[in-house]
Amino acid sequence: MIELDTQLEGKRTFFGNMLSEAKRLKYTLGGCWDYDRGCIDSILWREAGETIYLRMPFQVIDGELDRPNALIEFEKPYVIKHVVNIGLEKDANALATISGLGQFQKPLDTDGKIHDKNEWEENGEQAVEQIVSHVNFLEEV
């Protein structure tokens, strides 16, 4: 994992505003969301079962995450690498995976080693800057 020093940390906006801009820029709401926190994710690179993500976590300051008017505040963004098994699973869930009932396998490594850290740090910071420049954030108090 590579933590990024960017202008995003501490910025506040409304969830609906963030989500519409994020979708427009091809970012997604990460699957790890809950009513009081979540993250905006982007794939920076993918090849043969290895994926490098930009993850921009946030917490809900006021409201609930499934509401457009929920106020969110961003935490420190980071780059992370997931390594997944692209073969068939050899357990009880294998039939579900083959039949399409189990669409996703658990990553073999959710925090894989990232080579060329400086390159991915720069790529991550540039991607965060894209979000910062397109989202209307609330003025800091």
Side-chain angles (χ1 to χ4, degrees), residues 51-126:
T51 306
I52 296 180
Y53 293 94
L54 167 63
R55 179 155 283 171
M56 297 174 284
F58 59 84
Q59 61 181 329
V60 178
I61 302 300
D62 187 39
E64 292 183 346
L65 189 57
D66 62 342
R67 306 280 189 235
N69 64 345
L71 179 62
I72 62 174
E73 180 177 283
F74 281 91
E75 298 169 346
K76 186 177 275 293
Y78 57 92
V79 173
I80 191 167
K81 179 179 178 181
H82 285 196
V83 181
V84 296
N85 181 359
I86 57 175
L88 295 176
E89 290 188 36
K90 295 182 170 97
D91 65 7
N93 294 325
L95 181 59
T97 301
I98 293 169
S99 66
L101 296 175
Q103 295 179 12
F104 305 104
Q105 294 183 27
K106 183 178 178 185
L108 293 174
D109 189 350
T110 57
D111 192 10
K113 181 165 176 52
I114 298 175
H115 301 285
D116 303 321
K117 278 187 149 183
N118 290 339
E119 175 186 351
W120 290 110
E121 183 176 25
E122 186 176 318
N123 289 341
E125 288 172 353
Q126 288 174 358

Side-chain angles (χ1 to χ4, degrees), residues 40-54:
I40 301 294
D41 290 346
S42 176
I43 294 174
L44 297 176
W45 176 83
R46 176 179 278 164
E47 185 177 296
E50 296 183 357
T51 306
I52 296 180
Y53 293 94
L54 167 63

